[in-house]
Amino acid sequence: AGCRFLDTLDDIDASEVPQDPRAVAVAGLAGGGWYAFGRNGEGLAGVRKPLMLAGTLDGDLPYETELRPTFEALGPGRVMFTLEGGGHWAFSDLCTVLTSLEDCQGAAGGYMEPSRVLEITQTAVTAHVKAELSDDAGARAWLEQAAWTPPEVTVER
């Protein structure tokens, strides 16, 4: 049944994708599913001030087929922090509890350390929220300077 549902997503008109005027900024942690927002993800173009965090080793929502297309479907003002070696679960504090998950193993499993992923996530999301909700010039400048050094983190606009 789930596959039949996914087959119908291409038929969704982007104008049918609901917009919530209360949302003034968005932070997506390992966010995929671009196909649920109309043909080619067209409904994502209206998302205001989106920040995405994505991991190159996300086994649940693969970078090339889920995360990158979602970012590319977003409209102007989009920002994406790509964490080299980031998995799916370390963007939150779940890895402190679910240590058996593969991407929660950190360097031992070939992933970025979950504590580092969480630190980057907290810093980037806090700066994004401060910049967009409080019009904080310092936070905005920090985001625009791409304070991270590749290959650990790549920042795209």
Side-chain angles (χ1 to χ4, degrees):
C3 292
R4 281 182 293 204
F5 167 74
L6 291 175
D7 289 341
T8 66
L9 291 176
D10 279 343
D11 298 330
I12 296 172
D13 186 317
S15 66
E16 297 172 10
V17 176
Q19 299 286 324
D20 188 338
R22 297 172 298 174
V24 295
V26 175
L29 310 179
W34 54 271
Y35 37 80
F37 294 90
R39 207 166 289 106
N40 297 315
E42 293 167 351
L44 290 171
V47 174
R48 289 177 284 190
K49 301 175 182 163
L51 167 69
M52 269 191 68
L53 286 103
T56 59
L57 297 180
D58 191 323
D60 294 279
L61 294 171
Y63 184 80
E64 291 299 327
T65 59
E66 289 282 346
L67 304 172
R68 166 120 327 258
T70 298
F71 173 69
E72 290 173 357
L74 292 167
R78 67 187 184 195
V79 178
M80 181 164 67
F81 280 53
T82 300
L83 284 64
E84 184 63 40
H88 184 76
W89 298 104
F91 291 102
S92 72
D93 62 355
L94 281 175
C95 283
T96 61
V97 179
L98 303 174
T99 57
S100 62
L101 293 172
E102 184 179 19
D103 52 319
C104 292
Q105 302 301 310
Y111 291 86
M112 183 183 279
E113 288 297 330
S115 60
R116 183 67 177 139
V117 173
L118 188 56
E119 175 188 9
I120 293 166
T121 301
Q122 291 172 335
T123 304
V125 170
T126 300
H128 181 67
V129 168
K130 287 177 75 173
E132 300 305 340
L133 298 184
S134 301
D135 199 25
D136 185 305
R140 190 174 311 285
W142 182 88
L143 283 167
E144 291 173 0
Q145 290 175 6
W148 305 97
T149 305
E152 182 184 47
V153 179
T154 304
V155 180
E156 296 177 72
R157 288 170 183 68

